Amino acid sequence: MKRLVNCLLLSLVCLTLSAQKPATNTAFQSGERLEYKLFFNWKFVWLNAGTATMHTVGTTYKGQPAFKSSLVTSTSKRLDKFFCMRDTLSSIVTQQLVPLYYRKGANEGGKYRLNEATYSYRNSRTNVHLLYQNPNGERSEFDYEKAEPVYDMFSMMLRARSFKGSDFKVGDRIKFLMADHRDVDEQTIIYRGIKNFTTEDEAKITYRCMVFSFVEPDKKGKEKEIITFYITDDDNHMPVRLDMFLRFGVAKAYLKTATGLRNPQTSIVKAK
């Protein structure tokens, strides 16, 4: 179930960045709050897997104005009997969307893990200090220096939301460097095109969405689709649906509520 957290963030990591430099934030503001319902398919039955909430506020980090975003996920009481998950992630970026700090505290299946990434910049290069704590409480630290931009899942999501999807063509492959756990690795996302998605709740809202796939190589070196995600085709770039293909089944996440949005929801095609 721990992929559920990563998938929610990767759902917005959909645009490549050519340089790690200041950018203009056009997508979100302090006070934005996105809430999701999570579902898991167990032996052909869809179970309520839990909830996830993403919240962004203005803050100050080492004396400079910044944004702090948090993502809190929790499995339902029913699913807790099989796998209990309580994860809290946070990311701090400058007002120009440059990453400063990332933290993930994960209590999954009764085991606690901690991941941290601290960023610094010298001579147009990115320096990343990673800290990892395993379930036994043992800590290890790693340092990387890259000429290319480096992001964790959360800071990449915040940066990517301000880019335009109109620059993509179906089949385009987007590659980027991501710091996660102990390493800095290259990841790949493929653009699938524009599709409409209608929510299955009482609201029956139809969104015009950009569709992307996150892929990873399998043991034979072939690409395997891990996530298909639907992002609103407007200036908010909100993920409204995620299909996650996990080792032990299929999970889905649906946007439940969105408040404090910066821009009009022009991607809504039809509302009940």
Side-chain angles (χ1 to χ4, degrees):
M1 296 300 293
K2 64 183 179 180
R3 272 193 183 272
L4 290 173
V5 179
N6 298 348
C7 293
L8 283 171
L9 295 177
L10 285 167
S11 66
L12 280 169
V13 180
C14 59
L15 299 154
T16 184
L17 305 175
S18 58
Q20 190 136 350
K21 58 184 180 181
T24 301
N25 170 33
T26 60
F28 63 88
Q29 62 185 354
S30 178
E32 181 188 80
R33 187 180 184 89
L34 307 178
E35 298 183 1
Y36 296 86
K37 282 188 174 182
L38 309 178
F39 297 90
F40 175 67
N41 187 274
W42 179 262
K43 297 182 178 180
F44 305 105
V45 177
W46 284 100
L47 303 176
N48 178 7
T51 60
T53 301
M54 191 182 303
H55 188 213
T56 298
V57 296
T59 188
T60 300
Y61 182 80
K62 294 185 177 179
Q64 64 175 316
F67 287 110
K68 179 179 180 180
S69 288
S70 301
L71 175 67
V72 178
T73 60
S74 176
T75 47
S76 64
K77 292 182 179 180
R78 185 177 183 182
L79 201 63
D80 280 348
K81 298 176 182 179
F82 304 97
F83 187 94
C84 180
M85 180 179 71
R86 301 290 186 272
D87 288 1
T88 301
L89 293 81
S90 60
S91 175
I92 299 176
V93 299
T94 69
Q95 290 189 335
Q96 293 74 39
L97 307 178
V98 175
L100 299 171
Y101 176 75
Y102 165 76
R103 185 183 191 278
K104 176 183 177 182
N107 188 342
E108 300 167 346
K111 298 180 179 180
Y112 181 80
R113 294 178 175 84
L114 173 66
N115 292 276
E116 289 185 341
T118 305
Y119 300 85
S120 60
Y121 305 94
R122 293 186 296 272
N123 301 321
S124 299
R125 299 180 71 86
T126 303
N127 295 273
V128 187
H129 178 75
L130 300 179
L131 182 149
Y132 173 72
Q133 177 181 308
N134 67 22
N136 296 323
E138 300 169 339
R139 293 193 170 197
S140 51
E141 300 184 42
F142 310 87
D143 289 284
Y144 294 90
E145 181 177 316
K146 299 287 184 179
E148 302 88 349
V150 179
Y151 293 81
D152 52 83
M153 290 180 295
F154 217 151
S155 60
M156 170 63 96
M157 176 272 290
L158 295 172
R159 178 73 181 269
R161 287 183 65 180
S162 292
F163 284 70
K164 294 182 179 180
S166 58
D167 296 333
F168 292 109
K169 296 179 181 178
V170 175
D172 277 355
R173 303 173 67 85
I174 302 101
K175 295 181 180 294
F176 58 94
L177 291 179
M178 185 171 72
D180 188 30
H181 292 88
R182 308 171 183 85
D183 301 308
V184 174
D185 296 319
E186 185 178 77
Q187 304 290 347
T188 302
I189 289 175
I190 302 173
Y191 177 55
R192 302 299 190 187
I194 299 291
K195 294 182 181 179
N196 287 350
F197 163 66
T198 302
T199 61
E200 298 181 2
D201 56 13
E202 294 181 357
K204 297 294 182 183
I205 298 175
T206 300
Y207 294 93
R208 183 181 66 257
C209 300
M210 300 179 290
V211 182
F212 294 85
S213 295
F214 175 69
V215 298
E216 289 182 348
D218 60 18
K219 295 181 179 180
K220 297 181 179 180
K222 296 182 179 180
E223 283 187 344
K224 178 181 179 181
E225 189 162 345
I226 304 299
I227 321 162
T228 298
F229 42 88
Y230 295 67
I231 298 173
T232 56
D233 185 24
D234 57 22
D235 290 337
N236 294 305
H237 290 159
M238 292 188 305
V240 293
R241 170 184 170 180
L242 295 85
D243 299 341
M244 297 159 273
F245 307 100
L246 312 177
R247 288 188 294 271
F248 47 82
V250 178
K252 293 181 182 290
Y254 297 103
L255 181 69
K256 179 183 177 183
T257 60
T259 57
L261 299 179
R262 178 170 180 167
N263 304 296
Q265 297 188 68
T266 57
S267 64
I268 294 179
V269 177
K270 182 180 179 181
K272 185 176 178 181

